[in-house]
Structure formats: structure tokens, C-alpha cells
Amino acid sequence: MLSVERHEKILEWLEKNKAVKVSDLSRELQVSEKTIRIDLVHLEKKGLLKRIHGGAVPLDDEGRIFPINERQSKHNLAKQAIAGEAIKRIQPNETILMDGGSTTLAVAKQLGAFPVTIITNDVRIAAELISKEKVQLIVLGGTRIGTSSSLFSPESSELLKRIRVNRLFFGATGISIEHGLTVLNSLHVEWKKQVLRCAERVTLLVDSTKFEKVGLIQFATIEEVDEIITDMNLDSAIKKRLETLGRTIFYAPIEQKND
């Protein structure tokens, strides 16, 4: 088993069980405890877990970028604001490829006022759009990627090689100016690399908390993105660094709800 495959398994088990032991990982992955300890050091340096005596646990602060379900439930106001900015960029009758994720799901929830064609591999997005009369929905099937609601298959991979869309809306687990756009699962990597080639305009939708976070595997650089839509809480130093790269950036204002 390659090291990246072990790292994926370790993170999957950590997400499911909230803690992992070196001895258990060694037995399950059929490698030495020394190898597992090296793996945990590597993952801790990437900010993906915290080592403890005999094993590891998830990070307990804003630095944590998984579990996925928890991550998707946070920062909802920012995601809604980003989705609103994304809707403004869409022209009626465009064909849009939508990657899976909590922010793209927020976009799906706001669609329906004008005709548009949406292609997606995400079952939650599909469920949101299926009843909207003005949305022409195309779903790319396959096998579930990890614990996400996204699907991927050799057949959908082949289809992606032949289609061309007006715009791609997509996300990432982590965004770093130095390390690029990253995710936690290698199947996500293959999907995202392919969708980036399908669109006339590539739009990254990401809330400000994901910047300068690094996932397990890089799938693109920031230079491969045409525009970024994020929220107004992005750190000013990161803003300046992004502007030097010549990317088009939109900052969505967040409306605070009154109690």
C-alpha cells in the first residue's frame, strides 16, 4: 500500500472513530508501528490531526478541516453569501458544472429563478435541483467518494473528456498560496483535475476559513483558477498575496442575523 493510501485510510478512520491507535493502524494496514508513527508525524505537520501518546485525535480548533459533516454545517452565513455572489455571475441558459460540497449546495438552493443547465456528480445537489422547473439537471453517476455525497466512475470520467461548459463552480478542502488547492481523497483529485479542463471559466467557491489550510493531496494551483468568490472575512495579508497573482476575487458581504 502506498503512503498516500495509508494516509487516506488513517484520516477516514479518524473521522469515523474520533481517535486512532498506532497498534490498531499497524495491524489493519499491515505495516510496522514505526511506519505508522512516521505517517502520523507527516499528517500532523500538514495540520490534519494531533498526535497523542499511542495514537492521534482530530484537531480541536478552527484548524480542523474534517470531519466533512461538521465542516459543512459551519460558517453557513458565509456560504450563503458566497452562493449569492455566484448566482450574480450566472447568465440565463448557461451550462454549469457543479462540484460537490456545502458551498455549491448553497448555490443550488438559490437557483431556480431563470433557465440554466446544471451538470453535477453530487446527489445532494441533484436532490435540491430536481424539482426546479427552470433547471435542466444532468447527473453524472458512479461510486460514492469516501463519506461524501459525490460520485465518480470510469464512465463519468470518459464523459468529462468530451463535454464543454460555460462555467465550473467548485471547492477545495484547503487553499494555500504555496501548496495550491488540496483535498483529502485521491478520487476527489481525479474528478477535480478533470472538471478544471471542462469549463470556459473556472470559479472557486470557498469560505475564508479554508485559506492557508492544506489537505492531503494537491489537485491544482491557484493560477489554474479564473476567479475566486469568498467572504469578506478573509485575512488582509492573504488578500494582498492573492491580488499579486492576478486572480479576479469577489468578496461576499455577510449579513448578520438578529436574535
Side-chain angles (χ1 to χ4, degrees), residues 40-53:
L40 295 183
V41 169
H42 175 79
L43 293 171
E44 184 178 52
K45 286 181 178 178
K46 282 201 164 192
L48 296 173
L49 51 75
K50 178 182 178 181
R51 285 186 301 146
I52 59 173
H53 181 70

Side-chain angles (χ1 to χ4, degrees), residues 52-121:
I52 59 173
H53 181 70
V57 296
L59 297 179
D60 57 3
D61 56 24
E62 282 297 312
R64 183 163 61 171
I65 59 178
F66 78 96
I68 290 172
N69 290 336
E70 289 184 18
R71 196 173 70 233
Q72 290 184 347
S73 68
K74 293 181 178 180
H75 316 296
N76 282 331
L77 288 178
K79 296 176 190 299
Q80 293 168 21
I82 293 166
E85 285 296 311
I87 294 291
K88 294 177 185 177
R89 316 264 82 80
I90 302 172
Q91 297 297 317
N93 299 307
E94 280 190 337
T95 298
I96 300 169
L97 183 56
M98 289 182 63
D99 184 26
S102 54
T103 308
T104 44
L105 177 60
V107 175
K109 290 179 178 179
Q110 295 186 32
L111 284 171
F114 53 85
V116 65
T117 297
I118 301 296
I119 303 172
T120 187
N121 71 324

Side-chain angles (χ1 to χ4, degrees), residues 241-259:
R241 294 186 67 188
L242 287 173
E243 289 166 1
T244 63
L245 297 176
R247 302 301 90 185
T248 300
I249 309 172
F250 299 97
Y251 299 103
I254 301 175
E255 295 183 8
Q256 298 295 334
K257 294 183 178 180
N258 296 324
D259 296 331

Side-chain angles (χ1 to χ4, degrees), residues 171-187:
T173 302
I175 298 92
S176 165
I177 293 173
E178 180 181 357
H179 300 288
L181 312 182
T182 53
V183 289
L184 297 174
N185 189 297
S186 57
L187 286 178

Side-chain angles (χ1 to χ4, degrees), residues 208-248:
S208 59
T209 64
K210 290 188 178 181
F211 280 90
E212 294 313 305
K213 302 290 195 306
V214 181
L216 187 57
I217 313 166
Q218 184 191 59
F219 67 90
T221 65
I222 291 179
E223 286 80 3
E224 293 177 68
V225 176
D226 295 313
E227 62 186 17
I228 300 170
I229 304 179
T230 187
D231 60 80
M232 60 188 298
N233 294 330
L234 185 64
D235 181 79
S236 59
I238 298 175
K239 287 182 182 180
K240 290 179 180 178
R241 294 186 67 188
L242 287 173
E243 289 166 1
T244 63
L245 297 176
R247 302 301 90 185
T248 300

Side-chain angles (χ1 to χ4, degrees), residues 118-180:
I118 301 296
I119 303 172
T120 187
N121 71 324
D122 188 275
V123 294
R124 294 178 68 198
I125 290 174
E128 181 64 38
L129 296 175
I130 196 167
S131 63
K132 298 188 177 184
E133 294 182 0
K134 293 185 179 180
V135 176
Q136 179 65 45
L137 176 63
I138 301 173
V139 181
L140 302 177
T143 302
R144 186 181 186 188
I145 301 176
T147 58
S148 74
S149 54
S150 296
L151 309 176
F152 189 67
S153 69
E155 291 79 12
S156 62
S157 177
E158 284 300 313
L159 181 60
L160 286 173
K161 295 175 183 178
R162 302 194 299 270
I163 66 173
R164 189 71 179 169
V165 299
N166 299 112
R167 184 184 296 274
L168 166 68
F169 285 138
F170 80 112
T173 302
I175 298 92
S176 165
I177 293 173
E178 180 181 357
H179 300 288

